Amino acid sequence: MSSWPNVRADFPVLHQQVNGKPLIYLDNAATAQKPRCVIDALVHYYERDNSNVHRGLHALSMRATDAYEGARTRLAKFINAAEPAEIIFTRGTTESINLVAHSFGARLRPGDVILATEMEHHSNLVPWQQIAKSTGATLRYVPVLGVNAEGGLDLTALDTLLTPQVKIFAFTHISNSLGAINPVRELCRRARAVGAVSVVDAAQSIGHGPFDVREIGADFVAFSGHKMCGPTGIGVLYGRSELLNTLGPDETGGGMVSSVDFEGARWKPAPERFEAGTPNIADAIALAKACDYLDGLDRAEIARHDNHLAGLAYEKLSVLPGIRLLGPTGARSGLVSFSFADVHAHDIVTFADEDGIALRGGHHCNQPLMRKLGLTGTTRASFYVYNREEEIDALVASMRRILKFFGAT
Ligand code: 7TS
């Protein structure tokens, strides 16, 4: 069953053999493949319009500026931001979160609390550790429930953890190692109720379903273009404009100042304030194309498709001897993460590669969570629009071959 019978034809990279087998790409949580229209947008920009933005009065510069600012408007529409100025182009989720940590986080004082969760990617964890260290603020974590984190986040713990001392509540929408989907709307509401600012890591959700920042009620949202069919090196920090314009810049330099003298400088408002230097013009334009592409497929349908495949993979893998499946048993996102007591995740990934299957094995930048669950890592299969049910059968067959090799069956 495929929601879009011809979708695979849009992705040139899929049509190749790996180790003599047709490629089965199941590493979409790390990065998604790019449709032809996104690749073409990059080529078109460099062949026709390449110029620096915002400073030129010649034709190419005006075209480049229009396309770059048009991309900002497109991204605003993609997440239903109130205005394009709420979209700051960054290198990706990691840079977006660092930007909030350095600009908003620098205001914190001893006694203030940053609340994160135990399922955060290092990108939404280490920047807060650093800010806590430099400001004297305290970092606390919402725990996960169950030996395999099958209970998701312990929301009852919020009653004691979300106090008025909490100034920042940073959490992921979808866990990249568990597949858990967090109730972001509720978490943002609860943050707001105690006067905390919400920071939503949407790296794993943005390309996999509808996402409306105003409906969710988020203050800041971070995501990466490369996980949503866009290029690497481009991403977004969304911030509510009232908040953004109270923040100082993280980086300073050209393009973000309204005036400069030898004594000092004054900042432009958002978004320019946060985009010092020549921005990543081509990739922003191509990212806007990725938005068109995903909307063309229908994002609610993408969620249904990806979650269905992951649910099916969970079910089919669960019969394998000795398998330990992580994350919720019920509603889950488009990935499945598992381990076997006697086979290292890296061996599994290497064996699967012989079968043409691209998986990911390791701690997935969730070291504290892995440690809590008593694991060094897991193997992860993650699905996207071009994956098919037959690929799950190939995955299960490959796992059986591996288990047999290791004498685990
Ligand atoms: N947050 C989450 C939830 C992620 O899954 C990732 C990347 C990031 C932040 C960082 O994104 P970046 O684009 O800035 O690197 N996750 C993964 C992964 O699971 N495997 O490779 C990268």
Side-chain angles (χ1 to χ4, degrees):
M1 183 205 67
S2 168
S3 304
W4 314 276
N6 300 321
V7 77
R8 294 177 64 82
D10 296 338
F11 293 84
V13 80
L14 296 178
H15 307 285
Q16 62 175 293
Q17 305 244 313
V18 168
N19 294 321
K21 307 272 171 50
L23 168 64
I24 296 179
Y25 186 78
L26 300 180
D27 195 17
N28 295 287
T31 201
Q33 297 302 345
K34 320 304 173 200
R36 170 70 69 198
C37 62
V38 168
I39 300 166
D40 286 350
L42 288 171
V43 173
H44 182 275
Y45 172 76
Y46 283 122
E47 284 186 352
R48 299 289 311 279
D49 300 334
N50 178 51
S51 183
N52 211 330
V53 291
H54 297 148
R55 319 169 181 176
L57 291 174
H58 61 82
L60 266 60
S61 178
M62 287 189 280
R63 284 211 302 260
T65 304
D66 285 351
Y68 181 67
E69 291 306 323
R72 197 188 305 283
T73 304
R74 182 66 186 90
L75 267 294
K77 187 167 162 238
F78 193 71
I79 60 170
N80 196 29
E83 44 179 306
E86 295 183 324
I87 303 294
I88 297 160
F89 283 119
T90 64
R91 278 195 298 122
T93 310
T94 303
E95 190 174 76
S96 297
I97 293 169
N98 272 278
L99 202 167
V100 185
H102 298 159
S103 51
F104 189 87
R107 294 178 179 176
L108 300 183
R109 300 279 169 272
D112 290 341
V113 173
I114 304 166
L115 187 60
T117 85
E118 286 182 345
M119 63 169 79
E120 295 315 309
H121 185 280
H122 295 164
S123 292
N124 200 25
L125 201 159
V126 183
W128 302 119
Q129 290 179 337
Q130 293 299 101
I131 287 297
K133 278 192 189 121
S134 65
T135 62
T138 305
L139 179 55
R140 298 208 172 105
Y141 300 98
V142 182
V144 294
L145 283 170
V147 284
N148 291 322
E150 62 272 26
L153 281 183
D154 181 2
L155 296 179
T156 58
L158 285 180
D159 297 338
T160 43
L161 285 170
L162 252 185
T163 61
Q165 283 70 45
V166 177
K167 299 294 178 247
I168 295 171
F169 184 17
F171 48 85
T172 193
H173 187 182
I174 288 178
S175 157
N176 69 317
S177 60
L178 302 174
I181 307 171
N182 291 325
V184 271
R185 196 159 171 265
E186 181 186 348
L187 298 180
C188 289
R189 181 181 58 73
R190 298 208 44 184
R192 203 163 44 245
V194 295
V197 153
S198 52
V199 180
V200 181
D201 176 348
Q204 292 296 341
S205 57
I206 192 70
H208 294 268
F211 195 98
D212 180 330
V213 288
R214 283 188 281 172
E215 197 260 324
I216 290 169
D219 292 313
F220 293 106
V221 178
F223 59 91
S224 302
H226 69 95
K227 294 190 201 281
M228 53 173 283
C229 290
T232 49
I234 188 78
V236 165
L237 174 67
Y238 158 84
R240 282 196 301 111
S241 58
E242 311 89 273
L243 263 173
L244 281 180
N245 284 315
T246 66
L247 303 183
D250 181 19
E251 283 188 340
T252 54
M256 50 75 68
V257 281
S258 57
S259 72
V260 186
D261 51 39
F262 284 120
E263 285 70 44
R266 284 142 297 276
W267 319 134
K268 281 185 181 164
E272 286 88 352
R273 181 180 300 184
F274 304 102
E275 292 184 5
T278 299
N280 187 350
I281 307 162
D283 291 325
I285 294 167
L287 178 57
K289 261 292 175 239
C291 295
D292 292 344
Y293 184 78
L294 295 178
D295 276 334
L297 295 181
D298 180 348
R299 286 147 80 192
E301 187 57 22
I302 295 174
R304 204 199 55 72
H305 171 89
D306 298 350
N307 300 355
H308 165 73
L309 287 185
L312 195 64
Y314 188 96
E315 199 184 303
K316 290 197 169 185
L317 287 166
S318 67
V319 300
L320 295 179
I323 195 164
R324 181 174 168 191
L325 284 148
L326 298 197
T329 42
R332 46 188 303 114
S333 70
L335 65 89
V336 54
S337 196
F338 55 92
S339 71
F340 295 100
D342 300 327
V343 191
H344 195 282
H346 288 168
D347 291 331
I348 295 177
V349 174
T350 306
F351 269 69
D353 186 53
E354 288 176 5
D355 296 329
I357 304 174
L359 299 173
R360 188 148 297 245
H363 54 62
H364 314 294
C365 295
N366 286 238
Q367 276 181 350
L369 175 66
M370 292 293 143
R371 215 165 281 132
K372 171 165 179 164
L373 300 178
L375 291 161
T376 50
T378 71
T379 303
R380 183 184 68 190
S382 50
F383 301 91
Y384 212 12
V385 295
Y386 32 73
N387 292 122
R388 302 169 294 185
E389 289 185 359
E390 306 88 274
E391 294 178 329
I392 295 169
D393 295 329
L395 169 69
V396 175
S398 184
M399 293 304 108
R400 286 197 188 279
R401 184 176 78 84
I402 293 157
L403 290 174
K404 199 164 167 208
F405 180 89
F406 283 97
T409 54

